[in-house]
Amino acid sequence: MSLGVCKVHIPQATNWLANKLVNIDGIVAEENRKSSANADALGKSFGSHVPPELMGEIFAIDIRSSVSHSQFAVRARTYDLSIIPIYPYAAMEYFAEGLVFESGRPVLLMPELKSSALTFDRITIAWDGSRVAARALADAIPLAGMATSIAVVQIVGDKDLSRAASAADAVRNLTLHGLKAEAIELPLEGGDAGETIQAFCQHHASNLLVMGAFGHSRAREFVLGGVTKTILDHPRLPVLLSH
């Protein structure tokens, strides 16, 4: 396991008047020092929770303004999984979108949980028979091996599924990997598939949702599918996203 952290690096000002009046260079240097210290503290905390045999690298990426996904996406392409915390900030959602669509690897979104215990023993796989759903299914197999309950949920009433791979076929694929799963058809509620699948997860005490992410980037603006946007905006449980 490796850790990537951001270090804010504010360039020094060249305004002599600002330096004379408020010592702007001193303020900038102090903020840079604080960011570096915070990054080091995060690295030490991470290292204290990860067994030595699983410990990888800890790397810092200098940023000049807002957090950018691009540098992290390049690094993530050579790792099996990226895990990122999700906070209700637009910048964090944009970062998550970029990592999902540009890293080529699955991304685990981690909202703040009420319980400190983290287990993935009850997994829900959102299935619509699409290419991205198939990718998510394959990416989830290593985690699914730890589960005692796997539900492959297909929402009925949201889109035409007549030409899609069936949930039963997804269950068959999991069975071939030695995993026991159940196919479930779930009626759409309130016209929002994202809310429907998360309500199912809460009702069945799922602790991991697996789904494919729909969307693309045009002129650096992400155009998201409805379900993907709902999940990114308000994830109620850990979510494994693949694209």
Side-chain angles (χ1 to χ4, degrees), residues 110-126:
M110 288 294 299
E112 188 173 0
L113 302 176
K114 295 180 180 179
S115 172
S116 59
L118 180 63
T119 58
F120 296 142
D121 60 331
R122 298 184 63 83
I123 296 178
T124 293
I125 300 174

Side-chain angles (χ1 to χ4, degrees), residues 69-125:
H69 64 267
S70 56
Q71 292 170 291
F72 278 95
V74 171
R75 298 295 293 265
R77 290 169 189 165
T78 54
Y79 290 90
D80 294 331
L81 175 69
S82 295
I83 305 173
I84 60 173
I86 290 293
Y87 304 104
Y89 306 125
M92 200 67 221
E93 293 170 12
Y94 181 76
F95 180 89
E97 293 167 14
L99 200 58
V100 169
F101 291 111
E102 294 190 18
S103 70
R105 298 285 184 157
V107 175
L108 180 62
L109 309 180
M110 288 294 299
E112 188 173 0
L113 302 176
K114 295 180 180 179
S115 172
S116 59
L118 180 63
T119 58
F120 296 142
D121 60 331
R122 298 184 63 83
I123 296 178
T124 293
I125 300 174

Side-chain angles (χ1 to χ4, degrees), residues 127-140:
W127 181 259
D128 64 1
S130 64
R131 179 196 67 80
V132 294
R135 175 66 180 271
L137 179 72
D139 287 340

Side-chain angles (χ1 to χ4, degrees), residues 62-239:
D62 287 337
I63 59 173
R64 294 300 179 98
S65 55
S66 60
V67 178
S68 171
H69 64 267
S70 56
Q71 292 170 291
F72 278 95
V74 171
R75 298 295 293 265
R77 290 169 189 165
T78 54
Y79 290 90
D80 294 331
L81 175 69
S82 295
I83 305 173
I84 60 173
I86 290 293
Y87 304 104
Y89 306 125
M92 200 67 221
E93 293 170 12
Y94 181 76
F95 180 89
E97 293 167 14
L99 200 58
V100 169
F101 291 111
E102 294 190 18
S103 70
R105 298 285 184 157
V107 175
L108 180 62
L109 309 180
M110 288 294 299
E112 188 173 0
L113 302 176
K114 295 180 180 179
S115 172
S116 59
L118 180 63
T119 58
F120 296 142
D121 60 331
R122 298 184 63 83
I123 296 178
T124 293
I125 300 174
W127 181 259
D128 64 1
S130 64
R131 179 196 67 80
V132 294
R135 175 66 180 271
L137 179 72
D139 287 340
I141 286 176
L143 291 176
M146 299 184 291
T148 57
S149 171
I150 304 174
V152 179
V153 178
Q154 193 166 51
I155 297 177
V156 179
D158 179 46
K159 60 177 71 174
D160 181 12
L161 300 173
S162 60
R163 303 178 68 177
S166 69
D169 285 339
V171 169
R172 174 193 54 78
N173 179 255
L174 291 170
T175 301
L176 292 174
H177 287 275
L179 303 171
K180 185 178 180 180
E182 177 186 10
I184 297 174
E185 287 192 348
L186 185 67
L188 180 67
E189 295 182 3
D192 191 321
E195 289 294 332
T196 300
I197 193 68
Q198 290 207 91
F200 174 89
C201 290
Q202 288 187 307
H203 181 73
H204 291 270
S206 299
N207 42 39
L208 178 66
L209 171 62
V210 175
M211 58 178 283
F214 284 94
H216 62 275
S217 176
R218 179 178 296 171
R220 293 190 175 183
E221 293 294 330
F222 283 101
V223 181
L224 302 177
V227 179
T228 307
K229 181 168 178 54
T230 296
I231 298 299
L232 277 170
D233 286 348
H234 302 289
R236 301 176 193 169
L237 73 163
V239 181

